[in-house]
Amino acid sequence: MISLTPSHIIEYLYCPRFTYFEYVLGIPQYEEKHYKVIKGRELHDIKLERNKEYLRKKIGVQSKWLDQYLTNGYLRGRVDEVLLLNSGSMAPLDYKFAEYKDRIFDTYRQQLICYAILIEDNFNKKVNNGYLVYVRSKNKLVEVLISEKDKDLVRKSIGRIQEILEKNHFPKATKFKRRCLSCTYRNICIK
Ligand code: SF4
């Protein structure tokens, strides 16, 4: 089974055909994609901003594991911090070298959901929420609730992505036609 990253899931949820063009046909996407994922972050600056103990106090953290590379056979990812909360559940915390713009980008949410699945499978504890720290907004801490439905959607997407990759399956286009306007593959995609 191919091991996927949060980027695969985010791209698939944006449009299943995106997965086909990029990973089955091997046509590279271009950097100007408007939902730029995790690549743009400046790790050095993030590292400087880490280890803010007061953030963890605010959340109520019992233990923490930094920079965790986790995998469960079909998904993999590096989580900035895995937290054991006072409630007994666990949560991923991710630093974003970004400003908080009053809404949580879906890419960030999906990434946290992937991490939640990885934490549950590796630590054998429940994950009900995750945290984002916006470094460029004075380390603003934002809680993101993660439901079973969210995790199921990601698990189902993983099954579908595997099908596209393993069977060369050409999937349906996204229902959201507006996305095609700025899509890297719009010139080769049959509508
Ligand atoms: S052009 Fe539209 S349907 Fe085709 S891959 Fe891009 S977003 Fe999907």
Side-chain angles (χ1 to χ4, degrees):
M1 203 179 250
I2 302 157
S3 168
L4 304 176
T5 63
S7 299
H8 286 103
I9 317 290
I10 290 162
E11 287 164 354
Y12 172 83
L13 290 172
Y14 181 78
C15 177
R17 275 203 189 158
F18 210 101
T19 307
Y20 181 86
F21 287 130
E22 185 167 16
Y23 301 105
V24 176
L25 298 188
I27 304 168
Q29 53 174 303
Y30 301 103
E31 272 312 304
E32 64 263 20
K33 59 180 184 176
H34 74 274
Y35 60 100
K36 227 179 208 178
V37 193
I38 311 137
K39 293 168 200 159
R41 67 189 207 175
E42 285 150 54
L43 277 172
H44 175 69
D45 294 326
I46 288 176
K47 279 192 177 133
L48 283 179
E49 289 296 330
R50 272 186 198 177
N51 291 317
K52 303 275 187 196
E53 239 6 274
Y54 71 89
L55 285 176
R56 298 191 197 94
K57 248 187 214 137
K58 218 159 141 182
I59 301 168
V61 173
Q62 250 181 50
S63 312
K64 61 174 193 287
W65 291 262
L66 304 182
D67 259 335
Q68 293 293 297
Y69 179 76
L70 303 176
T71 173
N72 63 1
Y74 58 83
L75 190 63
R76 67 195 145 93
R78 185 175 290 281
V79 191
D80 284 339
E81 296 190 13
V82 175
L83 308 175
L84 175 62
L85 306 177
N86 288 338
S87 63
S89 65
M90 294 188 100
L93 181 144
D94 209 37
Y95 290 88
K96 297 295 176 201
F97 194 75
E99 270 175 59
Y100 182 60
K101 297 261 167 72
D102 288 322
R103 61 176 280 260
I104 298 159
F105 289 126
D106 200 47
T107 50
Y108 292 173
R109 258 179 58 75
Q110 296 305 336
Q111 197 186 359
L112 282 181
I113 298 164
C114 290
Y115 293 160
I117 292 172
L118 285 168
I119 292 171
E120 286 191 346
D121 290 352
N122 281 273
F123 290 82
N124 229 354
K125 291 238 185 248
K126 201 103 173 72
V127 175
N128 304 312
N129 57 354
Y131 296 94
L132 296 169
V133 178
Y134 290 82
V135 173
R136 284 183 159 165
S137 290
K138 297 186 188 144
N139 287 315
K140 184 177 172 58
L141 179 75
V142 177
E143 183 185 13
V144 179
L145 296 178
I146 298 171
S147 67
E148 288 311 307
K149 223 170 128 189
D150 293 330
K151 289 176 238 170
D152 279 352
L153 177 68
V154 167
R155 287 196 191 96
K156 274 191 195 132
S157 304
I158 288 168
R160 302 222 170 93
I161 296 170
Q162 301 281 8
E163 207 177 288
I164 295 171
L165 301 188
E166 284 162 16
K167 298 186 183 158
N168 290 355
H169 168 70
F170 186 57
K172 280 192 183 153
T174 176
K175 287 184 285 190
F176 307 103
K177 292 290 168 217
R178 218 158 44 100
R179 292 182 181 173
C180 302
L181 299 175
S182 55
C183 175
T184 244
Y185 298 118
R186 66 187 179 282
N187 293 329
I188 54 167
C189 188
I190 315 154
K191 299 293 168 347

